[in-house]
Amino acid sequence: MVQLTAPSEGRILFEGVSKSFQRGAAATAALRDVRLEIAPGTIFGVIGYSGAGKSTLIRMVNGLEKPTSGRVIVDGIDIAALRGARLREAQKRTGMIFQQFNLLETVRVRDNVAMPLRLDGVGASAARARADEVLDFVGLGAKADSYPGELSGGQKQRVGIARALARNPKILLADEATSALDPTTTAQIIELLRNVNREYGTTILVVTHEMDVIKDLAREVAVMADGAVVEQGPVLDTFLRPQTSIARDFVTTVVPQGLPDRVVAHLGGEGLWRLLMVDDEVTQPLISDLITRIGVGVNMLHADMTEIQDHTVGQMIVKVTGPGDRVAAARAFLAERVVHLEEVAA
Ligand code: ADP
């Protein structure tokens, strides 16, 4: 299929967006002064616990929610200011996928996918031809005549993605799109979403409570708590140096951040360091160099390695022992060779 999305399209700006829901006398602040710039063609992740405001945020991009104050600008257009036909026209630029897929159970897969086009007034045969095209893209061409009830969860989400792509949107919104799926199926859906982004240049905004999804899918991440963005940046930076305790808690679910308290108390904090290495740094002979060149003892307590955004990130927690000047020399040696060194506090 031809890429119809120019890379200049699909920019989303949240300009000081706040939202409160009024229920009788009580008001809930779902969003507080959110400022985000989502570049065209990127994959942007928003992570937060349940109730953080993620759904409210994503639903503003296609006008399903309106800000109480502030503006959501999509490709230069203030979405909340649009009504009627102009709003519907703007909504065509955006596709959305959901945790529970939201397919019509009594309608064949092909017609589920063709539905948005039919609603736009596209003729039946043209809509079906486009449905078959996007179903092929998501790897479900053979299931076009099936009903959703005959499909697995992963296949249903592929249909959801095909339906979202039918109108060739500039932006794809994913609201907890993998949260109902097992890890293997989640990985396949993530790969498919990366393909969508690569092939069509579609901007993807994904909200999730799973840091694994952010790690494998997003390029940039914003961390939300209680309606506010508390931290944002490139995904790799957030994994290497989370700034807030909440970001650290999410990072810990993928890369464990420390040792059990009892172990730290037993070892004592001196010379107890957590080291992070990226790419070529992970293959250096750090430990043997510490022992032979610096002359310290090294007790390796933890090591792991993971792939984050096409980078290899390695982690070690070591206890270095020896005379004070040697331990200091070891610290200086390591600080030169790893991207991040921190004390593991006793
Ligand atoms: P998340 O997607 O991160 O779980 P939501 O955006 O769904 O968070 O909700 C943020 C807050 O706004 C929550 O406190 C929720 O109860 C409240 N909220 C969301 N939608 C509504 C609504 N339609 N009416 C009242 N309160 C709502």
Side-chain angles (χ1 to χ4, degrees), residues 3-4 14 17 20 55 93 129 134 161 163 183 271 299 332 337:
Q3 180 178 318
L4 295 179
F14 289 88
V17 174
S20 59
S55 288
R93 303 171 69 80
V134 274
I161 293 170
R163 182 185 53 189
N299 181 6
R337 284 163 180 79

Side-chain angles (χ1 to χ4, degrees), residues 15-20 30-34 60 66-71 227:
E15 295 183 341
V17 174
S18 295
K19 173 76 179 180
S20 59
L31 294 177
R32 303 166 195 265
D33 194 25
V34 170
M60 284 183 174
K66 290 190 190 308
T68 307
S69 60
R71 299 192 308 166

Side-chain angles (χ1 to χ4, degrees), residues 237-272:
D237 288 3
T238 303
F239 269 94
L240 293 177
R241 294 183 202 84
Q243 304 293 314
T244 56
S245 64
I246 180 160
R248 207 175 167 95
D249 287 347
F250 278 118
V251 168
T252 304
T253 63
V254 177
V255 183
Q257 300 277 293
L259 297 170
D261 289 347
R262 234 154 41 102
V263 174
V264 177
H266 177 72
L267 290 166
E270 201 199 342
L272 187 59

Side-chain angles (χ1 to χ4, degrees), residues 152-193:
S152 69
Q155 289 173 329
K156 286 182 189 173
Q157 193 56 292
R158 283 175 190 272
V159 177
I161 293 170
R163 182 185 53 189
L165 294 179
R167 288 161 153 169
N168 222 320
K170 315 302 171 207
I171 295 169
L172 183 61
L173 306 174
D175 190 354
E176 299 281 5
T178 56
S179 299
L181 305 175
D182 62 68
T184 306
T185 312
T186 293
Q188 291 164 351
I189 294 296
I190 285 175
E191 192 47 43
L192 175 59
L193 292 173

Side-chain angles (χ1 to χ4, degrees), residues 285-298:
L286 277 182
I287 304 298
S288 58
D289 280 358
L290 277 179
I291 296 166
T292 56
R293 291 170 57 182
I294 313 292
V296 285
V298 183

